[in-house]
Amino acid sequence: MTKQASCDIGLIGLAVMGENLALNIASRGYSIAVYNRTTSVTDAFTADRGKQPNVVGCRTLEDLVAALKAPRKVMMMVKAGPAVDQLIATLTPLLSKGDVIIDGGNTLPSDTDRRTREVEASGLLYIGTGVSGGEEGALKGPSLMPGGSKAAWPLIQPIFQAIAAKVGPKGDIPCCDWVGPRGAGNYVKMVHNGIEYGDMQLICEAYWLLKQAAGLSNDQLAKVFDTWNRGELDSYLIEITRDIFTARDPGTNDYVVDKILDKAGAKGTGKWMSQLALDMGVPSTLVTEAVYARCLSAMKDQRTRASRVLVGPDMHNRGDTHLFIEQVRQALYASKIASYAQGFVQLAAAAKENEWQLDYRSIAMLWRGGCIIRAQFLERIAEAYDAEPNLENLMLAPYFQKALADSQSAWRHVIASAATIGVPVPGFMAALAYYDGYRHERLPANLLQAQRDYFGAHTYERTDKPGTFHTEWLDLRRPVG
Ligand code: 6PG
């Protein structure tokens, strides 16, 4: 029987993330009412993992609402998109002024912008929060990136900060803090995912270079990644990659990773970051190359046919293997810096466009633990924004300036080697092109402007005087001597 108005929070949607978040909330001493559209899922959960005093199973949304203390807090963990709008429409008449609706899905920031306005117009409060860390993170401590109705933050802060991952010297700093209004929290989560795409692509390129070009075995790869995980590259993604190289099929004793089809999937959050970057004219090239690399990998049948026709060099690096491994490590670290720099540049551009006041040091600390891109490296980013809150680009921070300067010889060698032996490294190449493009005062865009003006009279600015100009190129052109 549902206890009346006794639960601290309600949660709708008992799929992997919802179920584990509910257990995390209950494990911190909060009482939670849970509901799933398919009643048997609710029943199975409350008869098994959710069979505990702090968890109240509800068979209807009305029961769930009746089970909540005022002001009510209802968290939706359902598939992003129309289902969220439908659920909001069903919930709104059941709730009272000042109650809070929370969306914990990977939601397009503009959807949360709209929903915040719509829900607030009904007298309710709305939160769109990023939730990062996968199944384990949801259960033991995710990174949470809440945004929306600021008035709702004090109502959910205690529960959210209780369940979040903790970092800091005493392990007591929650990876959860207020991000900003409307879709700001979902935007930060989307950029997290875009950086995640970039990180994963760069790691895959490093793997392919070491395996194909340097001929490392999976055991050797596991040892390399284990060593890397104890240095500057210390991170969740490096750690799980190490583990992946050790995993063998129980039946055949083959390495599982060698049996996985090389066709990447994607739910779309990385693509959103790339699309929104293009809309703002912000060069987020790493996430874009990572998205396209996934698209190219998915063209497996075409690639198989092409592999029988298109020729290239044999993919073997004939240099010193140990030196090459270290050079790849440096190239990976330098490329990672460029990738995170792009992510924070895009956040700043979005903040300006949306009139958000984002705290970049705080965002770096939100990502320090619990989330998929969690890494020691984020301490360095937090320190950089601590020292200079209005840092124009992470690459300009003294620590990263030096890291890039120290790594670039190896970075360039690895990319040159990859090009020479025919190993595709679009992420490494995009990162270096961004670094070289950003650090040069002069670029060849003067010629591009001349071309645009020649065929389209699009005009150009000059370096020697202000104004915009057009040249009658056909009058000025001369025969080549
Ligand atoms: C996280 C993850 C998660 C994401 C998966 C799958 O922060 O826990 O980013 O939100 O959905 O990583 O994403 P793709 O299918 O787009 O790779």
Side-chain angles (χ1 to χ4, degrees):
M1 182 58 188
T2 305
K3 297 178 203 166
Q4 293 305 311
S6 62
C7 291
D8 299 301
I9 188 169
L11 186 140
I12 299 168
L14 292 171
V16 168
M17 292 298 285
E19 180 178 273
N20 284 288
L21 275 178
L23 292 170
N24 186 344
I25 290 168
S27 74
R28 312 293 171 170
Y30 291 97
S31 52
I32 181 165
V34 296
Y35 165 88
N36 196 84
R37 188 177 55 184
T38 308
T39 304
S40 59
V41 170
T42 309
D43 293 347
F45 174 66
T46 50
D48 183 6
R49 296 179 78 198
K51 188 172 185 176
Q52 44 187 297
N54 281 359
V55 177
V56 175
C58 302
R59 295 187 156 201
T60 66
L61 286 176
E62 290 78 3
D63 278 357
L64 180 113
V65 170
L68 301 180
K69 292 174 193 165
R72 303 182 188 91
K73 298 167 276 293
V74 183
M75 186 161 192
M76 305 180 292
M77 290 303 291
V78 298
K79 184 171 167 39
V84 174
D85 290 302
Q86 288 152 18
L87 191 48
I88 291 170
T90 307
L91 277 173
T92 299
L94 304 179
L95 298 172
S96 310
K97 185 172 171 51
D99 287 351
V100 185
I101 299 178
I102 304 159
D103 172 21
N106 275 330
T107 292
L108 200 56
S110 53
D111 283 347
T112 297
D113 286 343
R114 167 178 56 81
R115 290 167 181 151
T116 304
R117 282 193 293 272
E118 289 170 353
V119 168
E120 286 180 347
S122 306
L124 304 176
L125 300 172
Y126 193 75
I127 297 278
T129 184
V131 179
S132 180
E135 178 177 358
E136 186 186 20
L139 180 64
K140 297 177 182 168
S143 164
L144 295 167
M145 297 150 256
S149 310
K150 183 67 185 289
W153 173 230
L155 304 179
I156 65 159
Q157 181 177 4
I159 295 179
F160 268 34
Q161 293 194 331
I163 67 170
K166 306 292 187 299
V167 292
K170 296 180 191 153
D172 59 352
I173 301 172
C175 292
C176 171
D177 206 342
W178 185 252
V179 173
R182 301 178 301 282
N186 291 112
Y187 204 102
V188 166
K189 175 56 167 68
M190 177 193 72
V191 170
H192 162 278
N193 280 37
I195 290 174
E196 172 191 302
Y197 274 47
D199 265 0
M200 291 165 72
Q201 177 61 28
L202 291 170
I203 289 171
C204 287
E205 291 176 16
Y207 153 60
W208 213 230
L209 281 167
L210 295 182
K211 186 167 181 76
Q212 294 297 336
L216 265 61
S217 69
N218 288 357
D219 283 344
Q220 289 170 318
L221 286 163
K223 289 188 181 80
V224 167
F225 277 80
D226 186 50
T227 303
W228 286 1
N229 197 43
R230 283 186 257 120
E232 297 163 325
L233 287 171
D234 170 4
S235 60
Y236 174 70
L237 284 172
I238 294 286
E239 178 187 322
I240 68 168
T241 302
R242 172 203 62 200
D243 297 348
I244 287 166
F245 289 129
T246 65
R248 290 174 183 262
D249 249 336
T252 63
N253 206 35
D254 293 335
Y255 287 101
V256 178
V257 67
D258 293 341
K259 299 296 180 186
I260 293 176
L261 185 63
D262 56 316
K263 284 177 72 171
K267 293 202 181 83
T269 44
K271 179 182 70 175
W272 294 346
M273 177 178 166
S274 181
Q275 288 171 323
L276 293 176
L278 281 166
D279 290 345
M280 293 190 294
V282 168
S284 294
T285 56
L286 258 291
V287 61
T288 303
E289 282 299 340
V291 169
Y292 283 145
R294 293 194 186 196
C295 299
L296 191 56
S297 78
M299 295 160 63
K300 178 69 178 179
D301 294 344
Q302 280 193 53
R303 291 191 287 110
T304 303
R305 290 193 294 276
S307 69
R308 300 185 189 112
V309 174
L310 302 178
V311 298
D314 104 344
M315 291 197 292
H316 197 75
N317 177 59
R318 287 171 179 72
D320 173 278
T321 298
H322 289 291
L323 174 60
F324 190 63
I325 291 170
E326 172 53 18
Q327 289 168 328
V328 171
R329 186 194 67 78
Q330 292 186 39
L332 179 54
Y333 191 59
S335 302
K336 186 181 172 82
I337 292 170
S339 176
Y340 280 69
Q342 290 179 359
F344 279 92
V345 164
Q346 183 162 343
L347 284 174
K352 185 174 178 202
E353 184 170 87
N354 292 284
E355 296 177 345
W356 301 325
Q357 301 298 320
L358 296 183
D359 178 338
Y360 304 105
R361 182 197 175 283
S362 169
I363 290 168
M365 289 309 286
L366 290 185
W367 292 344
R368 178 64 189 86
C371 64
I372 303 295
I373 66 169
R374 62 184 183 265
Q376 180 68 31
F377 172 80
L378 281 150
E379 300 272 5
R380 305 290 80 74
I381 294 177
E383 289 160 5
Y385 283 108
D386 221 5
E388 175 46 74
N390 300 311
L391 190 60
E392 200 171 23
N393 188 299
L394 210 46
M395 298 192 297
L396 300 175
Y399 172 85
F400 292 112
Q401 264 182 50
K402 183 178 185 317
L404 290 163
D406 293 349
S407 309
Q408 67 174 286
S409 167
W411 198 6
R412 296 178 190 283
H413 172 81
V414 165
I415 288 170
S417 302
T420 304
I421 59 179
V423 173
V425 289
F428 282 156
M429 289 180 169
L432 182 61
Y434 177 73
Y435 176 70
D436 280 338
Y438 190 77
R439 68 184 184 80
H440 276 105
E441 182 182 9
R442 293 281 289 161
L443 290 173
N446 56 320
L447 175 59
L448 189 135
Q449 287 292 81
Q451 292 162 337
R452 292 179 68 243
D453 191 54
Y454 189 116
F455 62 69
H458 292 298
T459 72
Y460 57 85
E461 296 173 88
R462 294 178 62 98
T463 55
D464 54 358
K465 50 189 169 185
T468 53
F469 301 85
H470 167 62
T471 295
E472 292 301 337
W473 297 95
L474 297 179
D475 298 345
L476 290 189
R477 66 180 177 173
R478 295 290 175 269
V480 175

